[in-house]
Amino acid sequence: MMTFDFQGKTVLVTGASRGIGEAIATSFASCGAHVAVHYYQQGDTADNVRNSLAGTGHIIVGANLANPVAVEKMVTSTLNEFGQIDILVNNAGIYQEHPLHQTSYEDWQTVWQQTINVNLLGTANVSYCVAKHMIERQSGRIINITSRGAFRGEPTATAYGASKAALNSFSQSLAQYLAPHNIFVTAVAPGFVETEMSRAVLESPAGDFIRQQSPLNRVACPEEIAHTVLFLASPGSEFLTDTIVDVNGASYLR
Ligand SMILES: NC(=O)c1ccc[n+]([C@@H]2O[C@H](COP(=O)([O-])OP(=O)(O)OC[C@H]3O[C@@H](n4cnc5c(N)ncnc54)[C@H](OP(=O)(O)O)[C@@H]3O)[C@@H](O)[C@H]2O)c1
């Protein structure tokens, strides 16, 4: 792995109690950063992640991103602990299947609301609170984890695909708005990644078909997404602002 230096930098990673967020937290800590490991329900797991990180001074912060009050408290408590946030990684997200034919109208509405509340509004609210602080300091990086599904479509998880497409658009608008403040915003759009979110489908008979979507005949590991995030957060990547990086092993060309 390319070596990055984040000595003395502070990073807030949402959804870092497991999966891609955990790998991002681990990679930043290995490169010298102090990390705020955000979680929702898995506080114990987040604490284990915090304890496993290289270096010292890491914290855990909990919040349901669907709750705007909890989001603001979470950002405030991170700032109280760290004094500043140099890098925000909006990674937390949910994926729920809701194939139209097999979903009641009531369930359809529930899934749409939950998905948009967490993936889009939650991310927008965390970004608002952190960007206010970054504007004061005239410095910062925001990296949003979106998805290949934003471009390729999610036939049985339409709300998820729409939430991630909206998040790409949000990233690019925010990049334009914040660039004059020396704050750079990018997105990473992974294809399938080996985590709890994808485990069931990757272990099902559909798993081989999914792996074959890439000419590498595999899906990504979380560390490969983390690598791209660290690259985008590192000095020298400023002019990439507003970009959306595909990390999908050539499984979908756009
Ligand atoms: N895995 C893939 O194949 C894949 C592909 C493309 C994009 N992505 C995106 O990558 C990101 C991470 O995915 P992953 O596979 O690592 O997911 P994961 O293993 O399912 O982990 C999800 C994380 O989000 C947190 N979270 C869930 N609901 C939340 C809520 N309401 N408020 C705050 N946090 C919440 C969870 O916290 P707790 O565990 O503490 O509750 C957990 O840390 C997501 O945005 C996902 O859409 C994943």
Side-chain angles (χ1 to χ4, degrees):
M1 193 195 220
M2 192 171 155
T3 310
F4 299 104
D5 184 4
F6 291 101
Q7 212 70 39
K9 299 284 184 196
T10 50
V11 188
L12 168 59
V13 184
T14 67
S17 50
R18 52 196 162 100
I20 296 169
E22 177 182 357
I24 293 169
T26 302
S27 298
F28 270 115
S30 303
C31 296
H34 301 300
V35 182
V37 175
H38 161 266
Y39 66 95
Y40 170 34
Q41 288 177 308
Q42 301 199 17
D44 289 349
T45 319
D47 206 30
N48 291 339
V49 171
R50 188 256 309 264
N51 291 334
S52 75
L53 298 181
T56 54
H58 310 295
I59 61 171
I60 60 169
V61 285
N64 177 2
L65 293 195
N67 178 344
V69 176
V71 164
E72 191 175 29
K73 278 190 188 153
M74 185 270 289
V75 173
T76 302
S77 71
T78 306
L79 285 171
N80 286 342
E81 290 284 338
F82 280 166
Q84 66 193 59
I85 298 172
D86 295 298
I87 300 157
L88 164 65
V89 184
N90 285 310
N91 164 79
I94 56 171
Y95 175 96
Q96 291 177 44
E97 294 270 332
H98 49 290
L100 194 146
H101 273 109
Q102 287 117 49
T103 305
S104 70
Y105 188 42
E106 198 186 353
D107 289 348
W108 177 266
Q109 287 170 57
T110 303
V111 173
W112 265 89
Q113 275 163 10
Q114 283 173 350
T115 305
I116 296 299
N117 279 344
V118 177
N119 294 6
L120 181 59
L121 302 182
T123 303
N125 290 338
V126 178
S127 301
Y128 176 94
C129 296
V130 174
K132 281 269 181 170
H133 155 76
M134 288 177 168
I135 288 171
E136 276 172 25
R137 295 183 61 228
Q138 293 285 293
S139 174
R141 299 289 173 106
I142 300 175
I143 296 134
N144 296 313
I145 308 302
T146 67
S147 175
R148 180 187 73 167
F151 304 107
R152 188 175 181 265
E154 294 285 356
T156 56
T158 51
Y160 179 83
S163 74
K164 294 297 189 176
L167 194 49
N168 280 331
S169 170
F170 173 65
S171 292
Q172 295 191 308
S173 300
L174 204 59
Q176 290 182 317
Y177 187 83
L178 292 175
H181 299 282
N182 198 38
I183 301 163
F184 305 107
V185 186
T186 51
V188 178
F192 272 95
V193 186
E194 268 174 29
T195 69
E196 268 170 55
M197 185 180 273
S198 57
R199 182 157 299 133
V201 68
L202 291 175
E203 285 175 0
S204 78
D208 282 343
F209 168 71
I210 289 168
R211 283 179 279 278
Q212 285 160 14
Q213 289 173 354
S214 166
L216 294 169
N217 197 24
R218 67 175 180 86
V219 300
C221 62
E223 290 71 24
E224 290 175 302
I225 312 306
H227 180 80
T228 307
V229 170
L230 267 69
F231 165 68
L232 292 170
S234 62
S237 296
E238 293 79 9
F239 219 63
L240 282 164
T241 198
D242 112 343
T243 202
I244 302 163
V245 181
D246 294 315
V247 186
N248 67 33
S251 63
Y252 183 71
L253 309 181
R254 63 179 173 95

